[in-house]
Amino acid sequence: LQAGDYAVSYLAQTGRDEFTRFNVAGATELSMDKFNYAAVSALSAPSVVRQKPKEKLEIRFSGVTASPCIRVEEPVTQERKGRAFVILPKLAAKEGQLCAQMLSNFELRVRLDGSEDLPPGHYLIHVRSAHGKALNHVFEAERYGGSSQQ
């Protein structure tokens, strides 16, 4: 997307059209990515969430690194921006190992900071990936023990 203000329209459970506004800022770096991110190829998260009080939502994501001597930094960097959870799987080198160039698989589980006691509504999980790419998943939070419909 070009830098600027945008709006997304969606049909709410009430049957009414609703929309959310967001801003895309211009690039601040000359390179595609500010950090080296893992090549993430899969994201697993629920489509509907009915959490117990104080419970964090857990997601899983997986992909590959170019060498077994490269790992995803833990804890994984996270940012909460309104109704969006931004996951930044930054890469780090494992120290003191001889390394061959060969693909190495990884899978991580992450509990989302700020996901406890979410008000009913739609939320976005955005997982950055290598080369300016990302995986996105939208889920709906409902009241624990029932539907968000009144």
Side-chain angles (χ1 to χ4, degrees), residues 22-88:
F22 65 96
N23 177 268
V24 174
T28 58
E29 303 292 324
L30 294 177
S31 64
M32 188 175 296
D33 291 319
K34 187 174 183 176
F35 301 102
N36 289 323
Y37 294 108
V40 179
S41 57
L43 167 62
S44 176
S47 295
V48 177
V49 174
R50 291 181 195 97
Q51 296 167 282
K52 295 178 183 172
K54 308 293 182 211
E55 181 179 60
K56 286 186 178 184
L57 176 62
E58 183 178 89
I59 65 166
R60 289 191 329 257
F61 61 90
S62 59
V64 295
T65 61
S67 165
C69 294
I70 298 173
R71 63 175 176 77
V72 178
E73 286 182 359
E74 292 189 72
V76 174
T77 303
Q78 302 182 41
E79 298 174 5
R80 170 87 187 269
K81 295 184 177 185
R83 290 183 174 259
F85 295 89
V86 180
I87 311 303
L88 306 170

Side-chain angles (χ1 to χ4, degrees), residues 122-137:
H122 291 89
Y123 295 83
L124 171 70
I125 299 168
H126 176 83
V127 180
R128 283 296 308 267
S129 185
H131 311 296
K133 299 187 180 202
L135 277 76
N136 295 295
H137 177 79

Side-chain angles (χ1 to χ4, degrees), residues 92-120:
K94 292 180 183 175
E95 302 283 328
Q97 293 183 359
L98 287 174
C99 295
Q101 289 284 70
M102 59 186 272
L103 296 180
S104 180
N105 295 320
F106 70 87
E107 179 175 298
L108 291 171
R109 292 175 184 259
V110 174
R111 291 192 181 276
L112 299 181
D113 293 341
S115 65
E116 309 90 337
D117 303 319
L118 293 173

